[in-house]
């Protein structure tokens, strides 16, 4: 029987927790510009960009390949600056039965900690852990941080 697995990655950034959180929470349509080419495009398929239940289609580059994913913005906690996204279609689901991205941003002194948690269920035990995806999230976080520091 398959089991849900978790993998975390954390990145210390120079942007404030509020700035970084707001980029994802309130301005997801601008993330392609902030990502320095990692996110190619994002389209709103249902909802209004910022509400729970919103459906978005992302085109991105990972390991030099173009990928796509359709997600539902599943949950938000404004106090803890946590957002949950459930993947419902896309390239990742060719290898995984289910996938959720959880992002939490918290202040740490004059900096901020961005924590990504990936919850996934492999289609079979031969599927490798998605270390490459964690690396992509780290690169994305650093690119958005650099963008926010220069605006």
């Amino acid at each position: 029987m398959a089991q849900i697995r978790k993998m975390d990655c954390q990145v210390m950034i120079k942007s404030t927790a509020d700035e970084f959180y707001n980029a994802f929470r309130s301005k997801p349509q601008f993330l392609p510009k902030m990502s320095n080419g990692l996110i190619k495009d994002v389209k709103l398929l249902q909802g209004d960009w910022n509400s729970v239940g919103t459906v978005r289609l992302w085109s991105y580059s990972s390991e030099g390949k173009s990928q796509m994913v359709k997600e539902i913005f599943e949950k938000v906690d404004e106090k803890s600056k946590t957002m949950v996204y459930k993947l419902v279609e896309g390239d990742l689901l060719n290898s995984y039965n289910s996938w959720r991205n959880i992002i939490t941003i918290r202040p740490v002194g004059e900096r901020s900690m961005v924590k990504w948690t990936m919850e996934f269920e492999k289609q079979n035990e031969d599927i490798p852990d998605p270390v490459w995806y964690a690396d992509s999230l780290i690169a994305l976080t650093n690119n958005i941080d650099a963008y926010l520091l220069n605006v």
Side-chain angles (χ1 to χ4, degrees):
M1 181 171 155
Q3 81 183 68
I4 301 293
R5 299 170 189 234
K6 288 186 180 187
M7 181 184 289
D8 294 331
C9 59
Q10 297 185 58
V11 183
M12 187 68 75
I13 61 171
K14 294 178 183 175
S15 299
T16 68
D18 284 339
E19 288 171 326
F20 199 88
Y21 174 75
N22 286 331
F24 278 85
R25 176 72 178 102
S26 304
K27 301 173 186 162
Q29 65 271 38
F30 299 114
L31 290 176
K33 180 179 180 180
M34 296 180 200
S35 75
N36 195 25
L38 292 178
I39 299 173
K40 303 298 183 194
D41 190 31
V42 59
K43 290 182 173 51
L44 180 66
L45 301 180
Q46 181 180 324
D48 64 5
W49 287 112
N50 304 318
S51 297
V52 169
T54 291
V55 179
R56 298 180 282 220
L57 180 67
W58 297 87
S59 300
Y60 62 98
S61 179
S62 179
E63 296 187 309
K65 296 182 279 187
S66 292
Q67 308 259 340
M68 67 72 77
V69 67
K70 185 194 290 187
E71 70 175 17
I72 297 174
F73 184 24
E74 199 171 55
K75 186 176 175 183
V76 63
D77 183 329
E78 301 283 348
K79 186 175 180 183
S80 69
K81 293 181 176 38
T82 299
M83 293 162 284
V84 180
Y85 305 94
K86 178 182 179 183
L87 279 54
V88 294
E89 285 181 27
D91 296 298
L92 276 173
L93 297 180
N94 292 333
S95 300
Y96 301 91
N97 293 326
S98 65
W99 189 287
R100 276 191 177 76
N101 284 327
I102 303 163
I103 181 174
T104 301
I105 304 103
R106 63 179 175 83
V108 179
E110 294 184 13
R111 302 179 87 193
S112 303
M113 178 64 71
V114 177
K115 178 182 178 186
W116 290 95
T117 301
M118 296 153 281
E119 295 181 348
F120 54 91
E121 179 186 347
K122 295 180 181 183
Q123 288 186 0
N124 64 61
E125 289 305 312
D126 296 332
I127 303 293
D129 286 342
V131 174
W132 60 271
Y133 192 82
D135 292 343
S136 295
L137 291 175
I138 291 168
L140 176 65
T141 300
N142 286 325
N143 287 358
I144 292 171
D145 183 40
Y147 179 89
L148 293 172
L149 292 172
N150 289 310
V151 285

